[in-house]
Amino acid sequence: MKHTPDPAWDTVDRLHAWLEAESDRAREQETLLRMLKLSEEVGEVARAIIGATGQNPRKGTTHSWQDVESELCDVIITAMVALRTLTPDASEIFEAHLRGIAERSLSDGAV
């Protein structure tokens, strides 16, 4: 299947190149740290949800649901960059994986 250029993945490639240029760590360490960055971003989603629901009585409502949306976008972008760090074929791997999930989960199998 021929790959169609995707502006999101083009941006991910540019972010990956920027991170590579700015890093002074060994490749293995840099890769592991990018994977760990996902945990940090997921924690920020949790913090935003707790803040949006006012779950912490001491702090009250500190975030909006738009903050949660923004943090979820950060998780997605970080995961895309992490996948790109592992392979230059990140977009193709993701698309194939998404198709597989759709085939298993959706009655029509359309993505």
Side-chain angles (χ1 to χ4, degrees), residues 80-92:
M80 292 171 80
V81 171
L83 182 58
R84 174 57 188 85
T85 297
L86 293 177
T87 177
D89 300 324
S91 64
E92 293 86 356

Side-chain angles (χ1 to χ4, degrees), residues 25-37:
R25 294 178 186 90
R27 171 159 291 291
E28 183 176 288
Q29 183 182 21
E30 188 65 39
T31 299
L32 291 174
L33 289 170
R34 288 192 198 154
M35 302 306 130
L36 287 174
K37 180 74 173 156

Side-chain angles (χ1 to χ4, degrees), residues 33-49 67-79:
L33 289 170
R34 288 192 198 154
M35 302 306 130
L36 287 174
K37 180 74 173 156
L38 279 166
S39 293
E40 178 191 14
E41 295 297 343
V42 169
E44 291 176 10
V45 171
R47 181 177 32 241
I49 291 170
D67 293 327
V68 176
E69 292 168 0
S70 178
E71 296 299 345
L72 285 169
C73 288
D74 287 348
V75 170
I76 294 165
I77 294 163
T78 301

Side-chain angles (χ1 to χ4, degrees), residues 50-70:
I50 289 167
T53 59
Q55 184 64 28
N56 184 336
R58 184 175 56 80
K59 293 182 180 179
T61 302
T62 58
H63 291 73
S64 68
W65 286 102
Q66 290 75 26
D67 293 327
V68 176
E69 292 168 0
S70 178

Side-chain angles (χ1 to χ4, degrees), residues 83 91-104 111:
L83 182 58
S91 64
E92 293 86 356
I93 289 168
F94 177 78
E95 289 165 11
H97 191 79
L98 184 60
R99 274 194 306 277
I101 290 172
E103 289 168 5
R104 289 191 315 269
V111 177

